[in-house]
């Protein structure tokens, strides 16, 4: 049974041993896993975890290898992959990453307060995000970077690093060990292997290019791996790996094609988000990404934020600037709340939320409006099937804010 995303990222909590994957390769379960590849002349560390996990990661690997650490690399530049770097950065250790790594780290550090607020909304129920992100750890200092390919040998083992800019960040890379037909792909395909990829995450990040993702998946497929290690787990068997990666690639290509077809035919974004779906032979679980979100990401990747729906999109005055006028024109918030309740009654929660947003902007604590908003959110949560982690966490947090506090 597939674990939930919060269960997956918490598998490494507490003192535990590294997992032996065979052939001198070991895994430390973290928020995003770290991997140690041992050789006769020292070890390669793939991902260093967060700064608050690093000491435990180091202890786990110290129990399975007495050799010196020689090289560090990162499968992507997100904090849960790189923030523990300084604890492993000892004399004689080299750090190599894809050439976009400094730029990825720059915007993540520059937007640190912004990201913390958003991550708190989605993950605050599972971990103390604010405490964990209170300070920024030292940034990795690269001894070498590469644009497309970097090959090196360590203790008789050859490692090939390939850029995969369609991953979660533009500095994403995979590590290939041809001798063992083993590839480390990080979160190229997300935290779950064989699921709808997240071209956009609710936490916020740059929209991923659908075509770059397809090309990056093709690059891994061409290697012909028999062992695939992602950011959280291990998968064996060339046939299973090929079948799974091909299906995800083809599903992404299908969604891109159908979205662009719809754009060319004149359909608006909202219609495409509703109507573009995967056919049964390409259906994938949607625990992390969602089809509708992919459609919107594909739209906005290609044509950006101006949708040609209203002149007001060009200016700094949002629709909410006239909500008070709407309240005045209808004679207060009561009519809005009553109409929202009718929408809820017939199963139209999104229409209801549009109206409760207007009413609550005028009177934030109105109990009747909060009650209707609560009901609408509960309908959305039930309709979601509680499948997609980010959607569920967002709706549950919104439900809490719409709950009327008893005196």
């Amino acid at each position: 049974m597939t674990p939930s995303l919060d269960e997956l990222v918490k598998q490494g909590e507490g003192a535990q041993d590294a997992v032996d994957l065979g052939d001198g390769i070991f895994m430390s379960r973290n928020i995003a896993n770290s991997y140690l590849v041992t050789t006769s002349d020292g070890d390669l560390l793939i991902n260093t975890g967060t700064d608050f996990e690093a000491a435990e990661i180091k202890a786990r690997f110290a129990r399975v290898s007495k050799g010196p650490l020689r090289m560090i690399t990162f499968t992507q530049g997100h904090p849960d992959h790189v923030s523990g770097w300084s604890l492993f950065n000892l004399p004689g250790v080299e750090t190599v990453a894809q050439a976009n790594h400094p730029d990825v780290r720059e915007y993540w550090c520059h937007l640190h307060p912004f990201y913390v607020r958003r991550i708190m909304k989605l993950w605050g129920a599972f971990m103390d995000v604010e405490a964990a992100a209170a300070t920024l750890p030292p940034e990795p200092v690269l001894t070498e970077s590469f644009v497309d390919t970097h090959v090196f040998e360590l203790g008789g083992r050859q490692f090939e690093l390939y850029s995969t800019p369609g991953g979660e960040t533009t500095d994403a890379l995979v590590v290939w060990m041809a001798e063992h037909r083993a590839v480390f792909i990080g979160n190229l395909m997300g935290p779950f292997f064989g699921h709808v990829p997240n071209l956009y995450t609710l936490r916020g990040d740059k929209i991923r290019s659908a075509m770059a993702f397809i090309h990056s998946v093709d690059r891994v497929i061409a290697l012909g791996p028999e062992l695939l290690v992602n950011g959280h787990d291990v998968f064996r068997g060339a046939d299973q790996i090929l079948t799974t990666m091909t299906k995800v690639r083809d599903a992404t290509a299908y969604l891109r094609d159908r979205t662009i077809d719809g754009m060319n035919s004149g359909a608006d974004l909202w219609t495409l988000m509703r109507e573009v779906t995967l056919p049964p032979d390409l259906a994938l679980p949607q625990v992390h990404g969602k089809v509708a979100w992919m459609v919107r990401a594909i739209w906005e990747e290609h044509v950006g934020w101006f949708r040609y729906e209203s002149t007001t999109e060009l200016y700094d005055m949002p629709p909410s600037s006239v909500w008070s006028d709407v309240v005045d024109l209808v004679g207060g918030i009561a009519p809005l709340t009553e109409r929202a309740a009718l929408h809820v009654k017939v199963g139209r929660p999104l229409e209801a939320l549009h109206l409760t947003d207007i009413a609550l902007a005028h009177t934030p604590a109105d109990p009747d409006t909060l009650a209707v908003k609560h009901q609408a959110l509960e309908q959305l949560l039930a309709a979601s099937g509680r499948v997609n982690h980010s959607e569920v966490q967002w709706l549950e947090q919104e439900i809490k804010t719409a709950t009327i506090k008893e005196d």
Side-chain angles (χ1 to χ4, degrees):
M1 181 177 177
T2 302
S4 64
L5 186 56
D6 56 296
E7 290 172 335
L8 190 70
V9 301
K10 292 195 294 184
Q11 286 181 344
E13 290 183 348
Q16 56 180 266
D17 291 329
V19 180
D20 187 348
L21 303 183
D23 296 317
I25 304 171
F26 298 88
M27 173 177 69
S28 171
R29 296 192 184 278
N30 319 317
I31 293 175
N33 292 355
S34 299
Y35 299 92
L36 190 76
V37 183
T38 60
T39 83
S40 60
D41 189 32
D43 303 337
L44 167 69
L45 177 61
I46 303 171
N47 297 330
T48 60
T50 62
D51 58 325
F52 57 86
E53 296 173 307
E56 176 62 23
I57 297 168
K58 191 170 187 178
R60 292 172 188 175
F61 287 148
R63 291 194 290 271
V64 298
S65 176
K66 301 304 178 185
L69 182 62
R70 297 294 191 199
M71 184 80 75
I72 298 171
T73 193
F74 311 112
T75 55
Q76 66 190 65
H78 280 155
D80 52 340
H81 294 250
V82 310
S83 295
W85 171 83
S86 62
L87 190 64
F88 297 95
N89 182 43
L90 302 173
V93 178
E94 297 182 32
T95 300
V96 60
Q98 202 278 336
N100 290 324
H101 179 82
D103 290 345
V104 171
R105 292 304 306 150
E106 186 280 333
Y107 78 77
W108 262 91
C109 292
H110 210 164
L111 283 165
H112 180 71
F114 178 89
Y115 280 131
V116 168
R117 288 195 302 272
R118 288 188 162 210
I119 295 170
M120 277 288 294
K121 182 81 173 184
L122 296 179
W123 288 94
F126 301 105
M127 60 181 68
D128 190 350
V129 176
E130 202 163 22
T135 58
L136 284 169
E139 279 297 300
V141 177
L142 304 185
T143 54
E144 190 161 4
S145 65
F146 68 95
V147 174
D148 184 71
T149 306
H150 179 69
V151 180
F152 63 94
E153 186 177 299
L154 184 61
R157 290 188 134 174
Q158 182 166 297
F159 300 90
E160 301 169 32
L161 309 184
Y162 294 110
S163 172
T164 50
E168 289 189 346
T169 53
T170 56
D171 69 337
L173 62 83
V174 300
V175 182
W176 172 240
M177 298 176 64
E179 177 187 3
H180 301 289
R181 314 302 301 172
V183 65
F184 299 80
I185 69 168
N187 282 359
L188 168 62
M189 301 178 72
F192 297 102
F193 186 53
H195 286 217
V196 169
N198 227 357
L199 298 183
Y200 172 78
T201 171
L202 295 194
R203 175 206 62 229
D205 206 333
K206 294 182 178 182
I207 291 175
R208 300 163 66 185
S209 164
M211 189 56 76
F213 174 77
I214 290 167
H215 291 325
S216 296
V217 171
D218 276 337
R219 188 164 207 181
V220 177
I221 288 174
L223 297 173
E226 297 175 4
L227 172 71
L228 183 143
V229 184
N230 72 356
H232 295 276
D233 216 336
V234 181
F235 304 87
R236 301 179 188 273
D239 290 343
Q240 178 202 352
I241 292 168
L242 174 61
T243 299
T244 301
M245 296 196 77
T246 300
K247 185 175 181 179
V248 173
R249 179 202 64 193
D250 291 351
T252 302
Y254 179 91
L255 291 175
R256 182 177 185 272
D257 289 346
R258 297 294 78 73
T259 300
I260 291 176
D261 288 345
M263 294 166 70
N264 286 333
S265 73
D268 62 56
L269 171 61
W270 319 112
T271 298
L272 294 177
M273 287 178 69
R274 285 193 303 271
E275 296 184 356
V276 174
T277 58
L278 287 170
D281 61 316
L282 292 177
L284 297 168
Q286 300 184 62
V287 175
H288 192 47
K290 288 197 72 173
V291 167
W293 300 349
M294 285 189 68
V295 169
R296 183 163 188 169
I298 291 164
W299 174 294
E300 297 193 353
E301 175 201 347
H302 289 86
V303 299
W305 50 264
F306 186 43
R307 295 191 298 274
Y308 282 61
E309 293 175 0
S310 170
T311 299
T312 61
E313 294 177 36
L314 293 173
Y315 301 98
D316 60 355
M317 196 66 64
S320 58
S321 65
V322 297
W323 285 356
S324 60
D325 295 316
V326 174
V327 172
D328 289 344
L329 288 168
V330 300
I333 67 169
L336 296 172
T337 301
E338 291 170 8
R339 180 58 61 89
L342 288 175
H343 282 306
V344 168
K345 186 175 181 180
V346 296
R348 293 196 293 260
L350 291 174
E351 289 88 337
L353 289 174
H354 280 304
L355 294 173
T356 59
D357 283 348
I358 298 173
L360 291 170
H362 184 275
T363 311
D366 182 73
D368 293 334
T369 310
L370 284 172
V372 175
K373 180 179 180 180
H374 191 285
Q375 293 167 15
L377 291 167
E378 289 282 7
Q379 281 189 3
L380 282 177
L381 183 59
S384 76
R386 304 186 67 91
V387 172
N388 183 274
H389 174 84
S390 294
E391 180 182 22
V392 169
Q393 294 313 307
W394 175 267
L395 291 174
E396 288 187 342
Q397 293 302 313
E398 286 290 281
I399 287 169
K400 287 181 181 178
T401 64
T403 300
I404 303 168
K405 294 181 180 180
E406 300 285 344
D407 291 331

